[in-house]
Every structure is written in structure tokens, then in C-alpha cells.
Amino acid sequence: MRQIVIISGKGGTGKTTLSAALAAMGKELTVADCDVDAANLHLLLQPSDESRHPFSTGAKAVIDQQLCTQCGACMDACRFDAIRYQDDRYTISETSCDGCRLCMRICPAGAIHMIESNGSYWTTGTFRNGWMVHARLEPGEENSGKLVNVVREQSRLLSEKKGVDTILIDGPPGTGCSAISALSGADLALLVTEPSRSGFHDLKRVKQLADGFQIPSAVVINKYDLNGKLLDEIEEWCRQENIPLIGKIPFDPAVVEAMLQCRTVVEWAPRSAAAGEIVAIHRQIFQS
Amino acid sequence: MKIAIASGKGGTGKTFVSTNLFWVASQKGIDCVLTDCDAEEPNVAEFLAGEEEQVEEVYQQVPVIDPKKCTFCGKCYEYCSYNAILYLPERRMIQVQPDLCHDCGACSYACQAGAITEHPKLLGRVTHAAYGIGQQLIEGRVEVGIYTPVPVITRAIHEAGNRELVFFDSPPGISCPFIATVDRADYVVLVSEPTPFGLHDLQLSVATVRKLSKPFGVVINRAGLGDDAIYRWLEQESIPLLLEIPFDREIARIYAEGGLPSAVNSSYREMFSRLLTQIIQKRVS
């Protein structure tokens, strides 16, 4: 099984646009949307969702004021600074609580209990060229890396069951837990960047992340014609670092037009310059 | 007043809005600080160069279990809510996986055998830089490969203190890093773009910001590139549209090189100046 992850460090460089286009050109593949904070791939691939599964992102501690003896042990023990004493009572900030359960365990009065956060879910379904696993993180819930792990694991199980040998992973921005979960165990990291100072800075960090997991990288420069100076710098860096530069997609209004129709650019505007370049990228990834 | 510039979707222009707002405020001589809270991919320094004053390292405590003292009772394993302890009693094996540890201290509390000691692990750095006439830039930056940026973000926000205006350039998403930032703000500026992705992610960020009970308004970037669905939705939800920034290829080219449109173009200067005035008025109302 070959797992290809599309990742960028910086957001908005075109990960989902590229993922969806590659998925639309494939045959019998599984697509995993691992940007669970802002999952958009389903808008273009429009999967039929066959089953939805709830997912608990963790739990938050709550103090029962009737039972609390105001000893303050919980506040002393909490390392997340989530417990406050205010207006003659101890309360736990829902946003600061990390769900570690230590306060619940040490409370001598048994006044603290946990409330599970279970508004998030993951879904498996089919789209026009294969299978799809995606997820939705409930607004306000945390621990997206854990949910990304579930999406990865489920896409692997599904692919095994269906005899699919390619998984395409649409990754999240950043370099933290979600990006690590999306990246780990992949066979190729496709790094999507754009010719800007921030795009280049973030590309270098995400490359370092892929290197840390010993995952080979290849670079795609999106909207390459927006700035010639930065384009040269990125191309030079790829040569120095010996990373294959496998595509340069021009800034093309057809990309936005396709998105407005909720279609991929290779399907909506197959003759556009962007689509032509993506077809060439697809060939390089899947025929070499 | 603390203002977070945020968005669910990445790449909508959070840093673009933050840096220009801060620049305009600095020009007016306002006592302000811009804090780069996107600690996984901090980009403010690509646009604004300050004079570095201080760099502090941020650590977390990671437990280490001494197998000689360990009685293999399994209590630490049971207390850990993050699956960070690998416990195989039949093989007399116990080990902490530092990447999964959240530094909560539950295992240290659980251990009755004195087998657990805690050791610092570097998470990242918070850099202070002087800018302009007494303004300041603060950057949180995690080491590549660190799971959570939250302790670094929290420290960066703490260091920003209480100036007349404190800007937070937020991390993308709607998860822990976003919440850790937005929860400390008095007002949130959500930046989006008029596309289906922009609208979808804006709806998620609005739901999150509403859960946190924060007042907010929306800036639409790259106006003219998409359609009007996002405007209809804002109207339907009675969400204030603070500003539209038209897509302009020349401005995109300047910004790509690290230039600030407000510094070189008077219409951008006026646009961000108006945005700043609108935001400050939100505090009064």
C-alpha cells in the first residue's frame, strides 16, 4: 500500500485543490481528509456518506458545588491553570482544562467529575473514484491529532478490506500534532508551497518535519507566477536540498471557478493551464 | 484591548491583516504589541523586523520512570489520560513516550514508589523585539516535531502583557492552539475569503467563537475572486462585515516579498486605518 500525504506548513497554498484534482484522476483509491479542523475536501469530492461514527475528543472536569469543601487541592495540583477561586467558589475553565483527570482523582470530597466531549465524528463513504474517510471536529472541542489518527487508521483498514493500494492524504497546516499524525508512516510527502516569504519559510519547517520521520519529499509550487524572485529562491533551495520539484502550477482563475462549482479543476476546466500542470504532476507521482 | 486576528482556514490573510493593523497603529504612535501566536509556522518576522531584545526558552516537564525503583503496580499507566505510558508488566517493561505526554503531573502523583522524576524538555522559544517608538513584537515559535504549541502560545500571550492595543496573529484551525489564543482576546477579527472553502471554514470558526462568547467581526480578503454566498450568510446571521480587501495582483506580489502594502500604498494605509478605528469602537460600545 502506498500512502501519499499532501502537506504545506502554511495554510491556503492549495493542498485541498491539488488533493481533490489528484483524487479525481485516480482509479480505485482511498482519500483521507486529515485537516479535521477545517475539512474541505468533501466539498469538491462530494462523497456519499455511508456511515458516521461519533468520536470522543476527551473530557472536561466539572466541580459539583454542593459537594465541594473548598480545600483547594485541585487548584494546587492543576498544571494548566484551569481552576480559579472567585466569588467564594472554585470553578474550572472549560477552555483551559486539558482533560487530564488529576483533579478528579485527588479531590477528597469526590466533588469533581468529567464530561465527555463527543460532538465530533468521522465518516466513511464512497466518491466517484473510490473511497473516502473524513471527519468533523466539533467547534470548541480539542485534540485534533487524535481524530487525525483515527482517520488515518480507518482509511488503512478500509483500503485493506477493499484491496485498494493507494491512499491520498490531504493534510492540515502547521507542524504540530495534526500534521505529525497526518505525516507519520506515509511513503511520500508532497510539499505544496507558493512563492512568498511565508510560503518559503513554512516549506522549510515542514520539510524538516518530514525528514524527522524519514519520509521522502517532493515539492509543488502553486501560483508560481505570483512572484519571480521568491520562485527563484525556492527553486534554488530545492536544488541545494536535492528535493525533486515535480510541478509549478500557474495562478489560474479556473481554480477558483471550479471551486465555486464544487468541482475539481481537472474536471471543470480540463484545458486550463492549472489542470494541464496537475495532470503532469499526477503522471510523475503515479507513473514513476 | 486585546484583538485576535483568526480564521479556521489557513492562508486567508491573518498575518496580512495583523501586520498591517499593527503597522498602522504604530504609525499613529499607539502603545501596542503584535504577538505571533501561530507558533507552528510563525510568519510575522518575514514582514516586520524588530530589534531583538530577549529570547526565552519554554520547557515542559517530562516524566522518566526508573525501572529499578518501579514496582510495576500500573497506577501511573492507569492515571495517564494520554496513553503516554507504555506498560507491559509481563515483560517488566515500563516507559514514558515523551511526545504524547501533556505534562499534567498525574503519573508523578500516582507513583507511590518514588520511581518517577521529571525532566525538562525544550518546546520552543518566545522572542521579544523592539519596534518603532516603544512598540513591540513578540513571537512564539515551537521546535519542529513538537506536538503541542499551546504552552509556547500561552507564554507569548502572557509576555505581551497589557498595552493599549495587543494584537494576536492566531494559528489556523479551530482546535487547541486557536482556542488558547482567541480565549484571551477581547475582540476577534475573523478573516475569510469569498469561496466555498472560505465560507465553510468561517462557519466553523464562528461557531467556535460564539461558544467562547467573544464579540467578533469579519474581514473578507481577496474580494472579487469568488461569489457572494459568504455575504448572504453574514447578512442572514447579522455578523458585522468590517472590511473587504480586493484581490490585487500587484499587492500580492509586494506582500509575497515581505513588503507591507500599508507602508507603500496610501489606499491600503487608509483601509487598515479605518479597520483599526472600527475595532477600537467595539470596545466602547
Side-chain angles (χ1 to χ4, degrees), chain A residues 8-13 16-17 36-44 77 79-80 93 95-96 98-102 105-106 136-144 146 173-181 195-199 201-203 205-206 208-209 213 223 225-227 229-230 251 256 259-262, chain B residues 8-12 38-43 46-47 61 78-82 102-109 118 141-149 172-179 183-184 193-198 200-201 203-204 207-208 211-212 222 225-227 247 249 252-258:
Chain A
S8 67
K10 175 165 164 46
T13 57
T16 303
T17 296
V36 300
D37 277 38
N40 286 327
L41 195 56
H42 66 281
L43 297 174
L44 300 186
R79 291 194 184 179
F80 301 98
S93 152
T95 48
S96 300
D98 201 68
C100 76
R101 296 178 159 82
L102 182 59
R105 297 186 202 278
I106 65 169
R136 182 181 187 273
L137 189 75
E138 173 71 7
E141 289 192 5
E142 306 188 355
N143 231 328
S144 43
K146 228 168 107 185
T175 60
C177 69
S178 302
I180 291 168
S181 299
S196 68
R197 289 250 85 87
S198 15
H201 169 271
D202 297 357
L203 169 68
R205 276 172 68 90
V206 83
Q208 200 185 330
L209 189 68
F213 287 95
K223 305 173 203 158
D225 45 351
L226 273 188
N227 190 299
K229 185 165 166 273
L230 266 296
F251 176 79
V256 179
M259 195 202 285
L260 293 176
Q261 304 301 324
C262 290
Chain B
K9 177 167 159 45
T12 55
D38 187 0
E40 291 178 37
E41 294 290 14
N43 288 145
E46 306 294 317
F47 303 95
Q61 295 296 319
E78 181 201 318
Y79 267 44
C80 179
S81 293
Y82 308 102
H102 283 217
D103 187 13
C104 72
C107 59
S108 298
Y109 177 82
E118 296 189 22
R141 177 180 288 259
V142 287
E143 295 287 287
V144 170
I146 292 295
Y147 275 58
T148 175
I174 55 168
S175 194
C176 332
F178 172 89
I179 291 172
D183 196 38
R184 270 121 181 143
E193 56 186 36
T195 62
F197 289 5
H200 178 260
D201 298 346
Q203 289 169 334
L204 291 170
T208 311
K211 268 194 185 167
L212 299 174
R222 301 191 192 102
L225 268 192
D227 62 7
F247 177 74
R249 229 179 133 133
R253 197 191 58 77
I254 292 170
Y255 185 71
E257 279 176 20

Side-chain angles (χ1 to χ4, degrees), chain B residues 69-109:
Chain B
K69 289 185 184 161
C70 178
T71 60
F72 293 89
C73 69
K75 205 166 176 199
C76 59
Y77 168 76
E78 181 201 318
Y79 267 44
C80 179
S81 293
Y82 308 102
N83 292 319
I85 296 176
L86 180 69
Y87 174 56
L88 299 167
E90 64 282 1
R91 285 168 54 190
R92 309 267 307 159
M93 186 178 174
I94 190 153
Q95 212 172 39
V96 175
Q97 295 168 276
D99 285 340
L100 297 180
C101 174
H102 283 217
D103 187 13
C104 72
C107 59
S108 298
Y109 177 82

Side-chain angles (χ1 to χ4, degrees), chain A residues 41-53:
Chain A
L41 195 56
H42 66 281
L43 297 174
L44 300 186
L45 296 184
Q46 302 184 327
S48 63
D49 293 334
E50 280 154 8
S51 58
R52 182 182 280 194
H53 311 262

Side-chain angles (χ1 to χ4, degrees), chain A residues 1 3 30 32 133 150-164 167 185:
Chain A
M1 197 183 293
Q3 302 198 38
T30 302
V133 183
V150 174
V151 172
R152 287 288 307 278
E153 180 62 9
Q154 292 302 326
S155 58
R156 197 181 56 76
L157 292 173
L158 187 66
S159 303
E160 273 175 9
K161 206 166 106 190
K162 304 289 181 187
V164 171
I167 302 179

Side-chain angles (χ1 to χ4, degrees), chain A residues 46-244:
Chain A
Q46 302 184 327
S48 63
D49 293 334
E50 280 154 8
S51 58
R52 182 182 280 194
H53 311 262
F55 173 78
S56 171
T57 48
K60 302 282 180 193
V62 179
I63 300 175
D64 183 338
Q65 299 297 336
Q66 307 275 290
L67 298 176
C68 178
T69 60
Q70 307 219 336
C71 70
C74 56
M75 192 164 93
D76 295 340
C78 179
R79 291 194 184 179
F80 301 98
D81 205 15
I83 306 181
R84 297 280 150 81
Y85 185 71
Q86 222 175 325
D87 303 328
D88 301 327
R89 57 199 267 180
Y90 287 89
T91 51
I92 301 177
S93 152
E94 199 188 316
T95 48
S96 300
C97 175
D98 201 68
C100 76
R101 296 178 159 82
L102 182 59
C103 58
M104 177 197 79
R105 297 186 202 278
I106 65 169
C107 176
I112 300 179
H113 65 277
M114 307 298 294
I115 294 177
E116 290 285 325
S117 317
N118 50 13
S120 305
Y121 56 84
W122 56 273
T123 309
T124 57
T126 55
F127 78 105
R128 44 198 181 277
N129 292 332
W131 288 266
M132 181 164 176
V133 183
H134 57 120
R136 182 181 187 273
L137 189 75
E138 173 71 7
E141 289 192 5
E142 306 188 355
N143 231 328
S144 43
K146 228 168 107 185
L147 187 51
V148 172
N149 278 334
V150 174
V151 172
R152 287 288 307 278
E153 180 62 9
Q154 292 302 326
S155 58
R156 197 181 56 76
L157 292 173
L158 187 66
S159 303
E160 273 175 9
K161 206 166 106 190
K162 304 289 181 187
V164 171
D165 56 11
T166 303
I167 302 179
L168 198 62
I169 302 158
D170 186 11
T175 60
C177 69
S178 302
I180 291 168
S181 299
L183 199 61
S184 64
D187 301 290
L188 173 68
L190 208 54
L191 314 178
V192 187
T193 188
E194 58 180 32
S196 68
R197 289 250 85 87
S198 15
F200 188 23
H201 169 271
D202 297 357
L203 169 68
K204 289 186 256 187
R205 276 172 68 90
V206 83
K207 166 67 168 52
Q208 200 185 330
L209 189 68
D211 287 351
F213 287 95
Q214 276 117 39
I215 298 167
S217 305
V219 170
V220 169
I221 306 176
N222 193 14
K223 305 173 203 158
Y224 81 86
D225 45 351
L226 273 188
N227 190 299
K229 185 165 166 273
L230 266 296
L231 174 69
D232 291 346
E233 283 184 33
I234 296 173
E235 285 186 317
E236 177 56 28
W237 178 81
C238 288
R239 274 192 294 274
Q240 277 171 11
E241 295 281 315
N242 217 358
I243 313 165

